[in-house]
Amino acid sequence: MKLKTVFVSAMVIGLGLTLGGQSITAKAGFFDPPIQQALETAPQGVPVNDYFSLGKISNNSAVLADTPFGKGQAVQLTDKVSQLGTVWTNDSSEMSLNSDATASMWMNFGNRNSSSGDGMAFVLQNDTRNLSASSTDNAGTPLGGETLGVWGSDKDKTKSQASDVASSAIKNSWALEFDTYPNKTTGNGAPGVSSSFDDDPNLAAPYAHIASGFPSSSATYTMHSAQGGYYATMNHIQPIYKSSAGWMVDGAWHHVTLKWNATDQTMTYIYDDKDPKTGNPLPNAESRTVSVPKKAIDPGNTGKVRWGFTGSTGTRFEPNAVVFEQIPGIVNANTTATIKDETTQKTVASGDSVGAGHSMRLTYNLAYTGGSQNWKDIKAQLNLPSNIDYTDGSISYGDNALPETKLSKSDIGSGALILPIQELSKTNPTATITLNGDAKVGSTAQLTNKFVGANALTDARTPDFTVTPASKTSPLHMAWTGDSVSGKTSVAPKTDVPVTAQLSYGDQSSVDNSKTTLHPVLNGESLQPEPLKATDKPGQVTYSVPQAKLLSGQDNTLQLYAEDGDGRISDKLTYTITVKAGALDMSVPTGATFKQTTLTGAEQLIQPSDDFNVSVTDTRGANNKWVLYAKATPFVSLLRETLPGSLIYKQGDSKQDLTAGFVEIKSRTTTSDNDIVDVSKGWRADSGLLLDVQGNAIGGSSKQPARYGGTITWSFTNSVSTN
């Protein structure tokens, strides 16, 4: 029997994704092994295809690549010899030059060490060619190599002027190059070779480097004459370099942050500022700040700039790849994380020590500062310090209409915590995550927390710190005494609430009042600590809850604990204080009069008498609103004669007739829990509540004046009028 030999052919299939009107090939698993290895270890980024378009140049080598975090998370610019890849933000993703902005990304240059070439460039440009912008030769063909696809070319050795080189660069641009190959050919062998740019005294090391400049500016290039023609070197602005060949081309992901200052018109670039595995800051990040005048990159004063990356290879190559974290113009956001020792009222810094049992508060702040899109689909990925026993927490927002999310002890747990965050925008610009707990003995390292949205990623770190035990081990106990034993009380508004307790040690030793401090916490807010009174018996606790801090019409929670001179924390007692709801009251005279007036035969305004006092008292709490209205009947005499006139409310030139219906007299938003307003205080002879008497009114004699009377009706609403 014959054996049939079967040959199996593996087919590589590419998936075409439409991106900004062009087809970008998404690759997954089909790169050379070193490239694929880099992609498999790529940090998390945002999906590229929502914001970028492939450069419209011939033979563009740029493709999208997948990472463990999803499809199209990376841009692969080059991976073979003699390539040029470009990718640019689409029209809706351009960066505003009129406001501060931050761009951050991860970059990978492969691991080919001294065999690498040529590198990548971050570019801001307002070239009229838009997506077709690149370096070109005399025929207009896109050109890579030492130009990196952005700088000018000196390939034509007959050209002697720097302007000739600059004219072949991307116009109206600023570039930050990540150059992995030192182009240092000089002398008679340099003309026409296009490999001399890095013969610059600003580059002290003959290896890979980072530097900035203006590609289409003649000042960027210095021309040299040699046998057979001319060649150019480049003036590198604020370079960053090392004395080793592999400091960029080591296979690792390197983090880059760029910060645009719109006021100063400067760009700060920071290289290797984060660890790709942990996200923690790296200690030796290199930073430079350079001037980037708007007129140099935006001569048309559009206020916007297109940005993106170019990458090129020559006879040597490397896999140039980028993962984007934060895209300026789309979402500008920042986050912070702090830990506060509520017992000492001090913010915990890296390396600090905290006493065991101290009340701790972690606060994570997310801030949206602008962009063309809201910050969407945010998840807070928190790594919690292990030396805190968490009790509760909350999530609150800048938009007060959004409800606060309460977090229980079981919601928080320990270790890693993921929390969904509402979309942040101009109307809801902030989110604050607060976690409370008690310090427990142990140490924790610096921890990175990520805030991952669909269109932006940020991170923030909590410090490393240690929680130390008290110097003595006998526990400090506290228990309520007297009327406080019930653990609750109900009081009227504006009432101080005294509580009493007793401190004692487990070994029955005496409490030293002079070395013991009370720590009150009311409704989650740490109040001023108070030492025990020296005149009280040892360990006796007397504390008065300040009425100004109590909220009317609801339960108030007091937590009280003590700390002694040896760092021992007592039991943390809870006391509930219910403040009865306040009220909105008005004080008006029941039989007030207007001043007796002699008629003149002309129209007159008559003031209320001095006893006509109107006031409003609001004990419902601060930020409550009310509007006071009044209306009046016509004034008539005992003989049923109607007074020719009416009751009015006058403010400046405005007169409103109360006999025609309700008139707004006063509106108010309260500023305290006991808000008292004297409504009639500002009334004068020509303003406020007045009786407007016409010239045909009939009075009586001085001994028997005519008397008229009427009724004023007062009314409240509990919100400020928008009329």
Side-chain angles (χ1 to χ4, degrees):
M1 182 176 72
K2 287 187 177 181
L3 293 178
K4 185 178 181 181
T5 302
V6 179
F7 295 93
V8 179
S9 175
M11 181 182 293
V12 176
I13 302 175
L15 171 65
L17 297 182
T18 299
L19 178 62
Q22 283 199 278
S23 177
I24 296 184
T25 303
K27 289 189 178 181
F30 307 136
F31 293 104
D32 292 337
I35 304 171
Q36 186 60 35
Q37 184 179 6
L39 292 172
E40 289 173 355
T41 60
Q44 188 169 8
V46 298
V48 176
N49 60 335
D50 290 340
Y51 315 110
F52 290 87
S53 296
L54 204 61
K56 294 181 179 180
I57 58 173
S58 59
N59 301 317
N60 192 348
S61 60
V63 294
L64 292 189
D66 301 341
T67 76
F69 293 100
K71 299 286 186 182
Q73 285 255 328
V75 177
Q76 182 77 33
L77 290 167
T78 63
D79 64 351
K80 293 180 176 63
V81 297
S82 301
Q83 288 185 327
L84 173 60
T86 65
V87 63
W88 301 108
T89 49
N90 52 40
D91 292 347
S92 62
S93 304
E94 289 182 326
M95 188 181 94
S96 171
L97 293 171
N98 297 325
S99 58
D100 293 350
T102 298
S104 62
M105 66 283 298
W106 296 93
M107 302 179 68
N108 191 291
F109 307 90
N111 62 354
R112 294 175 57 79
N113 210 308
S114 59
S115 298
S116 300
D118 279 280
M120 290 183 275
F122 172 92
V123 185
L124 305 176
Q125 55 105 338
N126 264 301
D127 193 308
T128 56
R129 292 173 291 174
N130 298 311
L131 301 179
S132 300
S134 75
S135 305
T136 57
D137 60 16
N138 287 346
T141 303
L143 195 61
E146 73 169 353
T147 73
L148 300 182
V150 62
W151 305 108
S153 171
D154 65 347
K155 190 173 184 180
D156 186 344
K157 62 183 178 180
T158 67
K159 301 292 186 180
S160 62
Q161 300 300 312
S163 58
D164 296 326
V165 177
S167 66
S168 62
I170 293 182
K171 308 297 187 293
N172 308 319
S173 64
W174 175 85
L176 178 66
E177 71 168 11
F178 300 83
D179 192 335
T180 59
Y181 181 78
N183 298 95
K184 288 180 171 288
T185 303
T186 59
N188 293 337
V193 176
S194 292
S195 188
S196 307
F197 277 3
D198 298 327
D199 185 40
D200 181 355
N202 287 329
L203 299 177
Y207 304 115
H209 58 270
I210 301 167
S212 65
F214 298 91
S216 61
S217 170
S218 298
T220 299
Y221 311 97
T222 300
M223 300 305 297
H224 305 270
S225 175
Q227 183 177 344
Y230 302 91
Y231 67 94
T233 56
M234 198 173 86
N235 305 315
H236 296 74
I237 299 174
Q238 292 281 22
I240 299 172
Y241 49 82
K242 302 288 184 182
S243 58
S244 62
W247 71 286
M248 282 169 60
V249 286
D250 55 1
W253 287 93
H254 298 271
H255 193 265
V256 178
T257 301
L258 295 104
K259 296 182 178 181
W260 167 251
N261 185 309
T263 302
D264 297 341
Q265 299 182 48
T266 60
M267 183 71 82
T268 298
Y269 44 94
I270 311 166
Y271 181 75
D272 257 357
D273 53 342
K274 289 201 301 187
D275 186 299
K277 294 181 180 179
T278 66
N280 290 337
L282 293 174
N284 299 313
E286 294 273 8
S287 175
R288 303 286 189 273
T289 298
V290 296
S291 173
V292 184
K294 291 181 185 179
K295 63 182 180 181
I297 56 176
D298 184 26
N301 198 29
T302 65
K304 294 182 178 181
V305 67
R306 192 183 303 276
W307 67 276
F309 273 87
T310 63
S312 69
T313 60
T315 56
R316 303 189 185 197
F317 78 96
E318 64 192 48
N320 289 311
V322 183
V323 171
F324 297 99
E325 264 193 339
Q326 190 165 339
I327 302 176
I330 304 301
V331 171
N332 295 324
N334 57 70
T335 50
T336 60
T338 57
I339 301 178
K340 186 178 180 183
D341 183 338
E342 291 288 319
T343 299
T344 62
Q345 289 292 289
K346 294 181 179 179
T347 300
V348 177
S350 184
D352 280 356
S353 293
V354 172
H358 283 203
S359 292
M360 308 295 288
R361 175 168 293 175
L362 278 71
T363 303
Y364 305 89
N365 286 308
L366 294 75
Y368 171 88
T369 59
S372 63
Q373 297 181 9
N374 296 343
W375 194 4
K376 304 172 184 177
D377 303 326
I378 309 168
K379 283 187 171 54
Q381 301 175 356
L382 309 181
N383 290 308
L384 305 181
S386 59
N387 50 357
I388 296 178
D389 183 18
Y390 299 94
T391 56
D392 61 273
S394 64
I395 308 172
S396 59
Y397 297 96
D399 181 355
N400 293 328
L402 294 174
E404 182 179 68
T405 302
K406 297 290 188 181
L407 302 173
S408 66
K409 182 180 181 71
S410 60
D411 292 331
I412 300 170
S414 60
L417 175 63
I418 298 178
L419 297 171
I421 303 297
Q422 296 271 15
E423 186 171 296
L424 297 186
S425 62
K426 291 179 180 178
T427 57
N428 181 40
T430 61
T432 301
I433 305 168
T434 302
L435 303 179
N436 302 309
D438 300 322
K440 59 183 181 181
V441 176
S443 297
T444 190
Q446 184 182 70
L447 297 172
T448 296
N449 307 273
K450 292 184 176 293
F451 305 90
V452 180
N455 47 6
L457 283 74
T458 64
D459 55 55
R461 282 155 290 282
T462 52
D464 58 298
F465 68 100
T466 301
V467 177
T468 57
S471 59
K472 293 185 178 180
T473 58
S474 181
L476 176 62
H477 297 296
M478 184 163 69
W480 295 122
T481 60
D483 293 338
S484 303
V485 169
S486 66
K488 61 182 180 179
T489 190
S490 180
V491 298
K494 301 304 165 188
T495 304
D496 288 336
V497 181
V499 294
T500 60
Q502 181 65 44
L503 289 165
S504 61
Y505 288 116
D507 60 6
Q508 306 302 312
S509 57
S510 180
V511 175
D512 185 346
N513 286 12
S514 67
K515 296 182 179 179
T516 305
T517 302
L518 282 178
H519 294 277
V521 182
L522 184 63
N523 297 325
E525 177 189 357
S526 295
L527 304 183
Q528 182 65 37
E530 290 187 6
L532 293 189
K533 296 180 176 64
T535 55
D536 288 342
K537 295 179 180 179
Q540 181 176 322
V541 175
T542 58
Y543 179 72
S544 182
V545 183
Q547 52 90 9
K549 292 288 187 179
L550 293 170
L551 303 175
S552 297
Q554 63 185 73
D555 289 346
N556 295 261
T557 302
L558 171 71
Q559 184 188 71
L560 195 67
Y561 65 97
E563 182 177 25
D564 70 3
D566 296 310
R568 286 177 283 189
I569 299 290
S570 74
D571 308 290
K572 294 181 177 180
L573 304 183
T574 300
Y575 195 76
T576 302
I577 304 166
T578 302
V579 180
K580 298 174 183 177
L584 182 61
D585 296 313
M586 180 175 63
S587 173
V588 295
T590 58
T593 61
F594 284 77
K595 293 181 178 180
Q596 185 169 317
T597 303
T598 300
L599 298 179
T600 64
E603 182 182 7
Q604 293 173 263
L605 297 178
I606 302 175
Q607 282 184 270
S609 56
D610 293 338
D611 62 353
F612 203 130
N613 296 316
V614 178
S615 64
V616 176
T617 301
D618 193 341
T619 58
R620 298 173 300 164
N623 296 315
N624 276 288
K625 301 174 181 180
W626 54 260
V627 183
L628 176 64
Y629 299 90
K631 70 177 181 178
T633 63
F635 278 55
V636 297
S637 69
L638 295 176
L639 300 176
R640 302 295 180 182
E641 294 175 337
T642 300
L643 177 69
S646 58
L647 189 63
I648 65 167
Y649 188 69
K650 187 173 186 296
Q651 291 179 297
D653 295 331
S654 172
K655 291 196 305 183
Q656 293 177 280
D657 187 352
L658 274 67
T659 60
F662 277 112
V663 170
E664 181 179 322
I665 303 299
K666 181 75 175 178
S667 64
R668 172 77 171 173
T669 299
T670 59
T671 58
S672 68
D673 285 348
N674 189 26
D675 196 89
I676 302 174
V677 177
D678 186 345
V679 176
S680 55
K681 183 177 181 180
W683 294 354
R684 300 287 184 268
D686 62 347
S687 65
L689 204 63
L690 299 165
L691 191 59
D692 186 0
V693 179
Q694 302 304 308
N696 61 343
I698 300 174
S701 66
S702 59
K703 292 183 178 180
Q704 193 174 4
R707 296 184 181 276
Y708 296 86
T711 301
I712 302 175
T713 302
W714 304 89
S715 177
F716 276 118
T717 62
N718 61 359
S719 64
V720 172
S721 171
T722 58
N723 189 356

